[in-house]
Amino acid sequence: MNHLDLIQKNFIAKASYFGRFVSNMRVKETPYYICINCGLPSDTFNVMVIKTENVSLVSDFVQPELQYFLERNFPMGLWLWESPSLQVIERQLFECHLVSNETNIGMWLDAHTIQPNLTELPDFEVVLVASPQDLDIYANVLASLFEPSDEAVQIRQYYQLIKPFYQPQDSPMQFFIGKYQDQAVATGTLFFDADSVGIYDIATLETARGKGFGSQMFHFLLEFAKQRGATSAVLQASPDGLGIYKRAGFQEVGLVKVFENRHLLK
């Protein structure tokens, strides 16, 4: 399995994890794609991933799934990983009236080489989300990034739905909160599968940025993953966030593009 495939595999496992437990969520997986409906109008958690490079099939399965979301008036994000067929598949997605929303860079690191750069930040600590109350706090920090849009409301509601199914001691999904002077200011997530650990949702409250909290969270997650015996670490970086990950040893392995349907909703 190449490194880009590792990133896609981890992302799919993470995106679909709670959808396999919560009754009003839907996970549909085929050899060609996976589609997750979280039961809410949220393009953060309504996700479709194209797994095949067979361009002759793409329109045949994208169009019905797109219609499925449109009938519910739900926004969704379609994720496409770089491949030799990327441009051809992109054209087909445009023909389905999807639009490109963002382009990220898939990154990989041999976890055996992890050397976290944890520095002393007075009054700042990272803690594992270990209770329903902690999960509410985590959700509020993450949702704040989307204020004042309706997506912030949906993100909080999503974490309410998954709350009964989050078991921090046994789950491959691990949520973390960064606290400064006992106030939650940052988040981070790890997802462990058989082949890698994925790093997700590193976020800092707008009022707390520029103080090193996001960097400290990132290096804490690296150290936690190393201690848990991870062999490969993967993430998806925005172009603006490449520097910190490269300095930690991550290598660029390919593009990850996201398309959306929000403009088609009523």
Side-chain angles (χ1 to χ4, degrees), residues 12-224:
I12 287 174
K14 187 255 188 186
S16 64
Y17 180 72
F18 289 109
R20 302 182 190 277
F21 299 108
V22 183
S23 59
N24 65 331
M25 297 186 185
R26 165 191 182 258
V27 178
K28 179 180 179 181
E29 187 164 16
T30 79
Y32 311 112
Y33 71 96
I34 184 168
C35 192
I36 301 107
N37 172 13
C38 75
L40 299 166
S42 166
D43 53 11
T44 302
F45 301 109
N46 291 329
V47 171
M48 184 173 183
V49 177
I50 294 177
K51 300 193 291 182
T52 183
E53 294 181 32
N54 189 333
V55 296
S56 65
L57 298 173
V58 172
S59 294
D60 291 341
F61 62 72
V62 168
Q63 196 62 54
E65 294 297 343
L66 176 60
Q67 188 61 33
Y68 169 86
F69 283 108
L70 291 178
E71 287 172 358
R72 289 156 179 78
N73 206 37
F74 278 9
M76 53 85 76
L78 186 150
W79 293 65
L80 178 62
W81 267 250
E82 186 172 357
S83 74
S85 306
L86 176 65
Q87 291 184 339
V88 177
I89 295 175
E90 278 189 294
R91 286 198 294 271
Q92 293 187 329
L93 297 181
F94 293 144
E95 289 172 3
C96 292
H97 306 294
L98 293 170
V99 297
S100 179
N101 180 38
E102 61 183 85
T103 299
N104 297 320
I105 297 93
M107 307 191 79
W108 170 87
L109 174 66
D110 180 347
H112 297 104
T113 68
I114 288 174
Q115 295 182 332
N117 183 24
L118 287 166
T119 58
E120 186 66 29
L121 287 181
D123 299 324
F124 181 78
E125 64 173 343
V126 178
V127 297
L128 177 69
V129 170
S131 70
Q133 293 76 22
D134 287 345
L135 197 57
D136 288 338
I137 294 169
Y138 175 99
N140 281 330
V141 174
L142 202 59
S144 72
L145 304 182
F146 296 84
E147 298 285 7
S149 73
D150 182 64
E151 187 67 12
V153 176
Q154 304 309 325
I155 287 172
R156 291 186 176 93
Q157 183 60 32
Y158 176 85
Y159 285 96
Q160 289 297 313
L161 292 175
I162 70 168
K163 192 182 291 186
F165 304 95
Y166 176 60
Q167 303 295 330
Q169 302 308 318
D170 302 317
S171 174
M173 186 94 73
Q174 303 278 285
F175 299 119
F176 299 86
I177 301 169
K179 293 184 175 182
Y180 177 65
Q181 296 179 343
D182 289 329
Q183 297 297 314
V185 296
T187 62
T189 300
L190 292 175
F191 189 88
F192 294 86
D193 69 12
D195 301 304
S196 65
V197 57
I199 299 172
Y200 301 95
D201 303 326
I202 296 178
T204 305
L205 289 178
E206 186 174 357
T207 54
R209 291 175 188 166
K211 299 178 180 179
F213 299 148
S215 177
Q216 190 79 343
M217 172 65 76
F218 168 64
H219 286 285
F220 177 93
L221 296 180
L222 284 180
E223 176 65 21
F224 189 95

